[in-house]
Amino acid sequence: MQYETKVLTTKYQKPDAYGALSMPVYYTAAFEFPDAKAMSDAFCGRSMAPSYARIANPTVTYLEERVRQITGAQSVTALNTGMAAIHYALTAVSAAGLNIVASKHLFGNSVSLIRDTLGSFGVEPRFVDFTKPEEVEAQIDNKTAALFFEIITNPQLFVADIKALSEIAHKKGVPLIADTTIVPFTNYHANEFGVDIEVVSSTKYISGGGTGLGGLLIDYGHYDWSQHPSPVLQARTKRVGKKLAFTARVKTELVTNLGSLMTPQAAYMETLGLDTLDIRFRRQAETTLWLAKQCQALPEIKRVNYTGLKDNPFHELSEKQFGPLPGAVFTIDLESKEAAWAFIDKLQIIRRATNLFDRKSLAIHPASTIFGLFTPEQCAEMSVLDTTIRLSIGLEAGEDLLEDIMQALV
């Protein structure tokens, strides 16, 4: 079945007593069991029945199953933020003395998670330019826990050759972990490019317009965890098999011990968002491409950055991997930081807000917000310019958005 049909025909884990067409929101902390054996089976993982809402919830499980059906993944874990998904993915593969080879062009909090949080527990960060596969390969050794990158970086909009990275990772016996938030899995199939673990901030496209927070951790079951340098994962392969060790650690250790399962209300909203995800994405991305082309003709704008533009240095690779619509975000550069702030202050339709892929269009100055606590030298190393404005395009009419941009430039 095609995406549109598959997403609407995923069955509930159990038939609803009233035949509800939308999965009910199970707002409860605990679940009653018919007998002691059933309770024991749920708590010890011998059955799929939820034991406690911090560990599993039927509304959340239904969202996970929907995404699993769409992506063809081995398992999906729904968490309460995209950062939680990144945290769980990297923590699951990490141990003191290991290293993570990561893109130096990551979202600000991803950088600080790897450098500061995991670094304080003895995990070595190795940041490198992932658009240069040979540099990535040079950083890998027998203590490398994972390669981690964004398929299109935010806000630089750099594009890495994913198949080349996959070939390097698998030749070296290292899992490839990708943040694919900027292009939804209706349009980009990470599984086909050799990505082992996919992380998604479902707050973005999936929630359907900034209705709630969420993150998805998707395990495609490619990687042989018996060859991983983590002794914890090696031990788990002896109990659950070489393909399930990562999922087992996430589901039975991290979710249980760290307590970041997605809330049932958020899962319900994101389940609704999946219904219209493809339609919304295509409309938003089409408007983004049209708007980026129009902005190229405005003399006040010094640079328009969108990989869907034919003169973009990453266009050919972007189109090969993501097709003609590589997301609904682009950036513009003005002559100075002062000009960028003045532009943002004058916007009337486009909202001054963070987040991506809301139904409403959003504008932000990344250097003074998302990367505001980094030094100028660190921003320069990450190619974050103080002249850049990031525009996330929503469902408004493109002509109205163009008029708003033009009046804000005056």
Side-chain angles (χ1 to χ4, degrees):
M1 288 186 289
Q2 299 299 310
Y3 167 83
E4 297 88 342
T5 306
K6 187 179 292 186
V7 75
L8 292 168
T9 54
T10 302
K11 296 184 181 299
Y12 304 156
Q13 300 91 282
K14 291 184 177 181
D16 179 66
Y18 298 96
L21 289 179
S22 291
M23 179 65 170
V25 181
Y26 284 88
Y27 252 134
T28 181
F31 304 88
E32 186 176 10
F33 297 92
D35 51 48
K37 183 179 184 305
M39 183 180 287
S40 176
D41 287 345
F43 273 81
C44 297
R46 292 188 293 270
S47 79
M48 295 301 294
S51 57
Y52 186 62
R54 176 169 56 82
I55 301 168
N57 176 283
T59 312
V60 178
T61 300
Y62 180 60
L63 173 65
E64 293 172 340
E65 180 59 18
R66 267 189 149 197
V67 174
R68 195 187 71 80
Q69 292 283 347
I70 294 164
T71 60
Q74 173 180 263
S75 72
V76 177
T77 305
L79 300 164
N80 58 16
T81 66
M83 278 307 306
I86 296 171
H87 176 203
Y88 279 40
L90 297 181
T91 299
V93 300
S94 293
L98 301 186
N99 64 75
I100 294 173
V101 178
S103 170
K104 69 177 185 178
H105 302 117
L106 292 175
F107 175 72
N109 290 118
S110 296
V111 172
S112 58
L113 169 68
I114 297 168
R115 184 192 63 198
D116 302 331
T117 307
L118 294 178
S120 69
F121 289 100
V123 179
E124 179 193 353
R126 296 182 178 179
F127 292 107
V128 66
D129 187 348
F130 267 53
T131 66
K132 299 175 180 178
E134 67 281 1
E135 293 187 10
V136 175
E137 184 169 9
Q139 291 295 319
I140 300 171
D141 59 26
N142 62 3
K143 295 293 185 180
T144 299
L147 304 184
F148 178 65
F149 72 111
E150 298 169 2
I151 58 171
I152 301 180
T153 66
N154 172 21
Q156 306 91 346
L157 305 184
F158 295 165
V159 180
D161 187 329
I162 302 166
K163 284 194 172 179
L165 292 173
S166 174
E167 289 172 2
I168 290 170
H170 297 153
K171 179 178 69 174
K172 296 285 190 176
V174 176
L176 184 65
I177 303 177
D179 183 338
T180 67
T181 297
I182 207 161
V183 182
F185 40 61
T186 57
N187 201 64
Y188 166 71
H189 308 291
N191 190 28
E192 297 176 3
F193 286 82
V195 171
D196 297 301
I197 306 295
E198 181 177 9
V199 294
V200 181
S201 174
S202 53
T203 307
K204 310 302 190 292
Y205 288 117
I206 297 172
S207 74
T211 57
L213 299 174
L216 299 172
L217 180 50
I218 303 171
D219 179 1
Y220 284 102
H222 296 155
Y223 186 75
D224 177 357
W225 296 101
S226 66
Q227 66 179 330
H228 194 271
S230 165
V232 176
L233 289 170
Q234 289 179 14
R236 283 190 177 270
T237 62
K238 297 174 184 177
R239 299 200 299 270
V240 300
K242 61 185 182 180
K243 301 295 186 181
L244 286 169
F246 176 89
T247 288
R249 188 174 193 196
V250 168
K251 296 280 191 183
T252 65
E253 178 188 335
L254 300 185
V255 169
T256 302
N257 294 348
L258 299 180
S260 295
L261 189 73
M262 183 181 286
T263 67
Q265 181 65 30
Y268 175 77
M269 297 302 293
E270 296 195 2
T271 296
L272 295 182
L274 282 175
D275 292 349
T276 59
L277 170 59
D278 193 53
I279 296 171
R280 286 183 290 105
F281 167 71
R282 292 187 183 282
R283 165 67 188 276
Q284 289 175 267
E286 287 168 359
T287 302
T288 301
L289 177 58
W290 179 84
L291 198 57
K293 289 178 179 178
Q294 303 308 308
C295 285
Q296 286 185 307
L298 302 177
E300 299 88 349
I301 296 177
K302 305 307 178 185
R303 183 182 68 142
V304 179
N305 186 14
Y306 182 60
T307 65
L309 296 172
K310 291 185 178 180
D311 61 352
N312 186 282
F314 294 105
H315 175 72
E316 184 177 349
L317 179 59
S318 175
E319 188 165 50
K320 178 182 177 181
Q321 296 180 151
F322 316 119
L325 299 174
V329 60
F330 74 103
T331 67
I332 59 174
D333 279 84
L334 302 185
E335 61 183 358
S336 65
K337 174 185 175 180
E338 292 72 24
W341 277 31
F343 170 86
I344 288 173
D345 289 348
K346 292 179 183 177
L347 292 171
Q348 297 177 5
I349 296 175
I350 300 172
R351 313 299 179 95
R352 289 174 285 275
T354 190
N355 202 15
L356 295 172
F357 318 127
D358 195 308
R359 291 188 297 268
K360 305 173 184 68
S361 294
L362 312 173
I364 195 169
H365 182 252
S368 62
T369 54
I370 299 166
F371 296 87
L373 297 179
F374 290 81
T375 67
E377 293 75 20
Q378 288 171 328
C379 286
E381 178 66 19
M382 293 184 286
S383 303
V384 177
L385 308 178
D386 64 6
T387 56
T388 300
I389 299 159
R390 188 188 74 188
L391 297 167
S392 172
I393 303 306
L395 292 171
E396 305 94 342
E399 292 81 0
D400 294 332
L401 295 174
L402 180 59
E403 285 188 15
D404 195 29
I405 290 171
M406 293 173 67
Q407 66 82 26
L409 289 169
V410 177

